[in-house]
Amino acid sequence: METLSLTVEIVAALLTASGIAYGLLALFGARAFEHDARAAAKLGAEGFAPGVSVLKPVKGVDSRMYAGFVSHCVQQYAGEFELLFGVSSLDDPAVAEIARLRIEYPQLNIRLVECPERLGSNGKVSNLAQMLPHARFEHIVVNDSDILVSPRYLSRVLTPFAQEKTGLVTVPYVGQAEGTLWSRLEALGISTDFMAGVLTARKLEGGIHFGLGSTLATTKTALAAIGGFEALVEQLADDYEMGVRLSRAGYRVELVHEVVATTVPAYTLRGFCEHQLRWSRSTRDSRRAGYIGLGVTYVLPWSLAAVLASGGSLWSFSLFSLALLVRVAVALTVGVGILRDGQVLRDLILLPLRDCFGLFFWAWSYASDVVVWRGEHFRLKRGRLERV
C-alpha cells in the first residue's frame, strides 16, 4: 500500500510539473501572439478592400442570433460585401429573422439560399457547398449563425489577403454564457483552456496550421485547391481540417487579433457532457499525438492529487500553490488580457472545477468513438462521421 501511495505521489508530482511547464509555454505563446498582432497592425494594408461574400449557414433560432446578424450589417468596410444565409428548408424559423433583417437593412445585399440536398453527414458544410455558387466575390468569409463581430471585423479579417499565398484567416473567440453553471464552465474553458492551447500550438509549430469555426476567411481559388467544401462534408472538425489541408497545399494560415463572440447555450448537465465529449473526441481524432499530452495541461487536479497522495506534506502544498499561480496567470493573460473576456474574472473561482471536468472528459474521450451532434449519433473515424 505504501508503494502504491508513493507511486501515485511521484506520478502526480511529475504530471503537475509538466502542467506548470505547459502553462509557462502558454504564457510565452500569448506574448508572441500579442507581439505579432501589434507588428501586423503597424504594417496594415492601406487601400486593400476586396469584395467579400459572407456565408452563414443557419438552422433554427437562438436568443442572440439576430444581434449577431445585425453586427455583420454595420461593418465599417471600404469594399463591397454581401450576406448569404443558407437554410436546408424554407420552413426553418430562421427564415423570418432573415426577412426582418432585409427590411431593416434594405441598402445591403442580403440573400437567402435554400440548400435542400444533404451531401454528407456534416449538414453545415453541406449547406456551404450549395451556397458557394451563389457568392459573387472571390473572397469568402464563413462563420456560424450566432457569431457577434465588431464593426471593423471585415477590414481586419481581409487585411492578411493583401499578402501573397494567404489561404485562410481565422480569429480567436469567447463564449457568451447563458447563465447555467454548465454554460459558464464551457465559456470559461474556451477562454482559459482552448484558446490558451491554440496560442501554445501557434508558438510551438511556428504558426497556425488549422482553422477555428469562429471565422474561416478564404478564397474560391484556395478552396478549389483542396476540393472545395464538398471534400469536407463528412468531416466533424471541418474548420480544423480546412486549415490543415490549405496549409499542406502551400497556403499560409493566419490567426488575427480580432475577437468574436459565440453563444454558449444554457446547458443541462447532459447537454454539457455531450458537447464536451464531441469536442474532446473531435480534437483527439484531429490531433492524435498532441491530444495525448493534453491531459497534463489540467494542472490543478494533478497538483491536488499530489497533496492527497503525500498526506498534505509541505512540498505538495508548495507545488499546488505554484500550479495555481501559473494556472491563474494563464487564465488572466489569455482570457482577460488577449480576449477581453470579463466572464473570466467573474468565474475565476470555478477554475479548479473546470480543470477537473477537463481531465475527466479527456480520459473519457478514449472510451468510445461515438459523438452526439444535433440529436443524431455518429461514429467518428479518422475525422469522418459515420451514422450509428
Side-chain angles (χ1 to χ4, degrees), residues 292-333:
I292 293 173
L294 183 64
V296 305
T297 67
Y298 301 110
V299 66
L300 295 183
W302 294 123
S303 61
L304 286 170
V307 170
L308 294 174
S310 68
S313 63
L314 180 60
W315 70 262
S316 67
F317 276 110
S318 299
L319 189 64
F320 172 76
S321 299
L322 181 57
L324 183 61
L325 176 64
V326 171
R327 183 70 178 92
V328 170
V330 171
L332 295 179
T333 300

Side-chain angles (χ1 to χ4, degrees), residues 36-37 39-46 48-50 139 155-169 202 217-219 222 250-256:
D36 293 344
K42 289 179 182 178
L43 290 175
E46 197 67 35
F48 183 78
H139 289 82
S155 295
R156 291 167 181 157
V157 166
L158 271 296
T159 292
F161 288 99
Q163 302 175 44
E164 197 173 349
K165 291 300 286 184
T166 298
L168 183 70
V169 174
R202 180 181 180 274
T218 186
T219 64
Y251 287 95
R252 290 169 51 255
V253 179
E254 294 285 344
L255 179 71
V256 300

Side-chain angles (χ1 to χ4, degrees), residues 193-341:
D193 297 345
F194 178 71
M195 288 312 307
V198 168
L199 298 182
T200 304
R202 180 181 180 274
K203 177 67 175 176
L204 292 177
E205 297 172 8
I208 191 167
H209 304 284
F210 52 87
L212 305 176
S214 52
T215 289
L216 297 167
T218 186
T219 64
K220 290 181 178 178
T221 301
L223 266 178
I226 61 169
F229 287 121
E230 289 83 354
L232 303 171
V233 293
E234 299 292 351
Q235 299 289 323
L236 174 59
D238 55 276
D239 49 358
Y240 176 89
E241 191 65 26
M242 182 188 293
V244 168
R245 296 187 185 194
L246 285 169
S247 182
R248 288 174 180 167
Y251 287 95
R252 290 169 51 255
V253 179
E254 294 285 344
L255 179 71
V256 300
H257 196 174
E258 171 65 9
V259 182
V260 302
T262 186
T263 301
V264 180
Y267 289 120
T268 61
L269 175 58
R270 179 176 179 176
F272 173 70
C273 290
E274 288 180 348
H275 190 252
Q276 289 294 303
L277 274 176
R278 189 179 82 230
W279 204 345
S280 298
R281 286 173 180 158
S282 171
T283 306
R284 183 206 69 195
D285 216 54
S286 300
R287 296 173 65 89
R288 288 180 175 270
Y291 188 76
I292 293 173
L294 183 64
V296 305
T297 67
Y298 301 110
V299 66
L300 295 183
W302 294 123
S303 61
L304 286 170
V307 170
L308 294 174
S310 68
S313 63
L314 180 60
W315 70 262
S316 67
F317 276 110
S318 299
L319 189 64
F320 172 76
S321 299
L322 181 57
L324 183 61
L325 176 64
V326 171
R327 183 70 178 92
V328 170
V330 171
L332 295 179
T333 300
V334 177
V336 180
I338 291 179
L339 302 179
R340 299 290 189 264
D341 185 2

Side-chain angles (χ1 to χ4, degrees), residues 7 9 34 57 86 89 103 118-119 153 160 205 243 255 327 347 362 370:
T7 301
E9 186 179 338
E34 280 283 84
S89 167
I103 292 172
R118 185 67 180 259
L119 304 178
Y153 170 73
E205 297 172 8
L255 179 71
R327 183 70 178 92
D347 293 332
W362 171 80
V370 175

